[in-house]
């Protein structure tokens, strides 16, 4: 069975029917479809709470209050942005890392969108992660075509947050598909990406990095890959840099930046982009 056939089968029944009208999608998506748990809509985040019989220090209390305040601020900002976003999908590009995936899931939860990882869909279509890696090694062209097919299917739908693999910025066809939504480059320092890759080899799926187990070798290969990908990443509608967020918040250690911190910056960028689009639409209306 060809990759595109397997992919189509894996995308035949998404859990969309409770919220979206099937008429908004291509005919191939008009029936309910099932995806594995890891690819489905991200659940609501549980509220943070503390046992009533424990005591906390002033510093801990202040930290908890700040966390709650930021959570409320995120929900308010997402509500404000949603009206102008009007169901437009969001594509997150950049080196594969846990920062990007955690951000994607939180963003989907805030907007009540569905979350997908394009590399995970490619793996599912190929029959699993090992099968996808084997396909990539034996048939590079076929693997890249499957990446394009995944993006084509996802870009035809709305109300999605998609963590796109590196293949999304490697050719003009894929870049054009990203224009169906809002694309944001999540720029994470390469040393952090390298550490994440050593701890989670699945992040290598759509990249050209060899699994060596050596931090220095992985970092060196990442630097070369970054130079190849940077031009594609730069075509995104906006860029959110982890290093810049840390600087703005006064953090000396970038590990101190939370998922909520970077999500707020992404929401601000989406708000800016939707406002610009709204102004352009208003300017184009005849008097």
């Amino acid at each position: 069975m060809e990759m595109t056939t397997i992919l189509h089968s894996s995308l035949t029944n998404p859990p969309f029917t409770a919220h979206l009208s099937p008429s908004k999608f291509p005919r191939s998506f008009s029936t309910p479809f099932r995806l594995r748990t890891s690819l489905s809509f991200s659940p609501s985040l549980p509220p943070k709470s503390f046992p009533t019989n424990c005591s906390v220090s002033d510093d801990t209390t202040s930290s908890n209050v700040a966390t709650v305040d930021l959570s409320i601020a995120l929900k308010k900002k997402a509500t404000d942005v949603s009206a102008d976003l009007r169901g437009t999908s969001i594509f997150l590009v950049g080196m594969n890392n846990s920062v990007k995936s955690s951000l994607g899931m939180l963003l989907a939860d805030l907007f009540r969108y569905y979350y997908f990882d394009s590399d995970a869909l490619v793996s599912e279509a190929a029959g699993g992660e090992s099968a996808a890696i084997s396909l990539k090694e034996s048939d590079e062209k076929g693997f890249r075509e499957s990446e394009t097919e995944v993006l084509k299917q996802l870009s035809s739908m709305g109300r999605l947050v998609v963590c796109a693999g590196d293949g999304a910025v490697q050719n003009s066809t894929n870049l054009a598909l990203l224009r169906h939504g809002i694309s944001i480059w999540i720029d994470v320092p390469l040393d952090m990406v390298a550490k994440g890759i050593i701890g989670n080899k699945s992040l290598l799926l759509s990249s050209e990095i060899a699994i060596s187990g050596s931090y220095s070798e992985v970092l060196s290969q990442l630097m070369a890959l970054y130079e190849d990908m940077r031009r594609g990443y730069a075509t995104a509608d906006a860029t959110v840099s982890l290093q810049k967020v840390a600087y703005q918040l006064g953090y000396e250690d970038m590990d101190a930046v939370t998922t909520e911190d970077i999500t707020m910056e992404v929401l601000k960028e989406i708000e800016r982009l939707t406002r610009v689009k709204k102004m352009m639409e208003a300017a184009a209306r005849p008097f």
Side-chain angles (χ1 to χ4, degrees), residues 160-172:
L160 305 180
V161 174
V162 178
C163 269
D166 290 334
V169 300
Q170 289 187 330
N171 62 62
S172 57

Side-chain angles (χ1 to χ4, degrees), residues 164-195:
D166 290 334
V169 300
Q170 289 187 330
N171 62 62
S172 57
T173 299
N174 292 354
L175 287 172
L177 291 173
L178 296 182
R179 308 311 298 175
H180 288 258
I182 292 175
S183 57
I184 301 178
W185 175 13
I186 308 303
D187 192 10
V188 177
L190 296 183
D191 60 331
M192 293 180 67
V193 177
K195 291 175 184 176

Side-chain angles (χ1 to χ4, degrees), residues 34-109:
R34 300 180 194 221
L35 289 172
R36 297 176 185 175
T37 303
S38 61
L39 304 179
S40 62
F41 176 48
S42 59
S44 299
L45 297 176
K48 298 181 181 295
S49 61
F50 297 91
T52 56
N53 61 344
C54 74
S55 60
V56 293
S57 66
D58 290 341
D59 288 343
T60 302
T61 302
S62 298
S63 177
N64 293 337
V65 170
T67 300
V68 172
D69 287 346
L70 180 55
S71 178
I72 294 173
L74 284 171
K75 291 177 181 179
K76 183 179 185 305
K77 177 65 73 175
T79 299
D80 293 343
V81 173
S82 291
D84 290 333
L85 190 58
R86 292 179 291 187
T88 302
S89 290
I90 300 163
F91 295 91
L92 304 178
V93 302
M95 291 284 183
N96 288 344
N97 59 85
S98 60
V99 173
K100 188 173 75 169
S101 57
S102 297
L103 160 66
M105 287 185 279
L106 178 53
L107 204 58
D109 188 75

Side-chain angles (χ1 to χ4, degrees), residues 53-277:
N53 61 344
C54 74
S55 60
V56 293
S57 66
D58 290 341
D59 288 343
T60 302
T61 302
S62 298
S63 177
N64 293 337
V65 170
T67 300
V68 172
D69 287 346
L70 180 55
S71 178
I72 294 173
L74 284 171
K75 291 177 181 179
K76 183 179 185 305
K77 177 65 73 175
T79 299
D80 293 343
V81 173
S82 291
D84 290 333
L85 190 58
R86 292 179 291 187
T88 302
S89 290
I90 300 163
F91 295 91
L92 304 178
V93 302
M95 291 284 183
N96 288 344
N97 59 85
S98 60
V99 173
K100 188 173 75 169
S101 57
S102 297
L103 160 66
M105 287 185 279
L106 178 53
L107 204 58
D109 188 75
L110 288 168
F111 282 135
R112 310 309 297 166
Y113 274 22
Y114 292 84
Y115 171 79
F116 290 95
D117 182 302
S118 64
D119 280 351
L121 286 176
V122 172
S123 292
E124 182 172 335
E129 185 181 313
S130 297
I133 292 175
S134 296
L135 174 68
K136 183 175 180 294
E137 294 174 346
S138 63
D139 183 8
E140 176 75 15
K141 181 180 178 182
F143 180 82
R144 296 305 176 190
E145 287 175 349
S146 71
E147 288 183 315
T148 298
E149 181 63 22
V150 164
L151 287 174
K152 187 180 297 182
Q153 302 254 6
L154 293 174
S155 65
S156 69
M157 298 181 280
R159 302 187 66 81
L160 305 180
V161 174
V162 178
C163 269
D166 290 334
V169 300
Q170 289 187 330
N171 62 62
S172 57
T173 299
N174 292 354
L175 287 172
L177 291 173
L178 296 182
R179 308 311 298 175
H180 288 258
I182 292 175
S183 57
I184 301 178
W185 175 13
I186 308 303
D187 192 10
V188 177
L190 296 183
D191 60 331
M192 293 180 67
V193 177
K195 291 175 184 176
I197 283 177
I198 291 173
N200 183 2
K201 294 178 180 178
S202 66
L203 294 174
L204 298 169
L205 179 59
S206 64
S207 300
E208 305 298 331
I209 305 297
I211 301 175
S212 66
S214 166
Y215 169 78
S216 60
E217 289 184 27
V218 170
L219 181 59
S220 177
Q221 293 176 75
L222 276 175
M223 291 173 68
L225 180 63
Y226 180 82
E227 288 303 316
D228 291 339
M229 300 288 186
R230 184 167 59 177
R231 182 174 297 180
Y233 293 153
T235 64
D237 297 309
T239 299
V240 173
S241 164
L242 183 66
Q243 187 172 11
K244 184 176 179 181
V245 172
Y247 176 79
Q248 291 174 336
L249 295 175
Y251 296 150
E252 295 183 1
D253 184 355
M254 281 181 285
D255 286 331
V257 178
T258 66
T259 301
E260 289 79 8
D261 290 331
I262 198 164
T263 300
M264 179 59 80
E265 292 305 310
V266 170
L267 287 173
K268 290 176 181 177
E269 286 298 325
I270 294 174
E271 182 178 46
R272 179 183 64 82
L273 290 166
T274 54
R275 282 181 177 176
V276 169
K277 181 179 179 181

